[in-house]
Amino acid sequence: MRKFLIFTPIIVLGCVNKLQEDRLYLKEIKAKNKVIEWFYYSNVSSTSADYVLLYDTINGKSDTIVNSTNIKDVRFANDTIALFFYGKPERYDDLLIIKKTIGDFEIIIDTNSISNKPMPSRNSYLKK
């Protein structure tokens, strides 16, 4: 029992993940006082879902726009966030419902992208 009590904190501390540092960014778009961040976590698995967040640079808060496994691209123009998907938005095999607005921005969805299996490689970067 004593060994268990000694090793439990060590295991827990070893498993603590610095998620902000593990993000691999695909795109960042400045939109007024906000930033649209498109990224995935590098250490989750080979099929990690992508995140698209709206980060408020003034108050430091973020809202999740979508967490999906089939995003092709993210764009911003005229207060509209455009999300492009390979087919209907999904996370693994579960279909997603995406809200139509977030903050002051409208969200539009394009599901007409065609997937050339296997998915093309993507260029990602670490944020410093």
Side-chain angles (χ1 to χ4, degrees), residues 115-120:
S115 175
N116 306 5
K117 297 277 182 177
M119 298 278 264

Side-chain angles (χ1 to χ4, degrees), residues 35 37 55 58 104:
V35 177
E37 299 178 323
Y55 177 73
I58 293 174
D104 298 333

Side-chain angles (χ1 to χ4, degrees), residues 3-124:
K3 289 180 183 178
F4 179 74
L5 293 175
I6 292 172
F7 287 114
T8 301
I10 293 171
I11 291 171
V12 170
L13 289 174
C15 293
V16 171
N17 191 356
K18 298 177 183 174
L19 291 177
Q20 187 75 21
E21 295 174 9
D22 291 337
R23 290 180 179 180
L24 288 174
Y25 285 84
L26 296 162
K27 188 182 270 189
E28 291 178 278
I29 304 168
K30 294 185 186 206
K32 297 186 178 180
N33 292 328
K34 301 182 185 334
V35 177
I36 300 165
E37 299 178 323
W38 176 23
F39 64 90
Y40 62 97
Y41 289 107
S42 64
N43 64 348
V44 177
S45 72
S46 62
T47 57
S48 177
D50 292 353
Y51 288 81
V52 179
L53 301 182
L54 183 63
Y55 177 73
D56 189 328
T57 58
I58 293 174
N59 65 21
K61 294 183 180 178
S62 63
D63 289 326
T64 301
I65 298 171
V66 68
N67 175 232
S68 175
T69 53
N70 65 332
I71 299 173
K72 179 185 180 195
D73 197 10
V74 177
R75 298 182 191 160
F76 178 78
N78 301 324
D79 293 339
T80 301
I81 300 168
L83 303 172
F84 297 85
F85 292 89
Y86 294 110
K88 293 184 179 181
E90 63 182 36
R91 183 174 44 243
Y92 305 106
D93 290 329
D94 298 328
L95 292 178
L96 301 173
I97 297 173
I98 300 172
K99 45 191 161 181
K100 297 189 184 296
T101 61
I102 188 163
D104 298 333
F105 303 124
E106 179 185 0
I107 298 173
I108 60 172
I109 299 167
D110 184 333
T111 60
N112 294 323
S113 297
I114 298 172
S115 175
N116 306 5
K117 297 277 182 177
M119 298 278 264
S121 64
R122 307 182 295 177
N123 295 324
S124 58

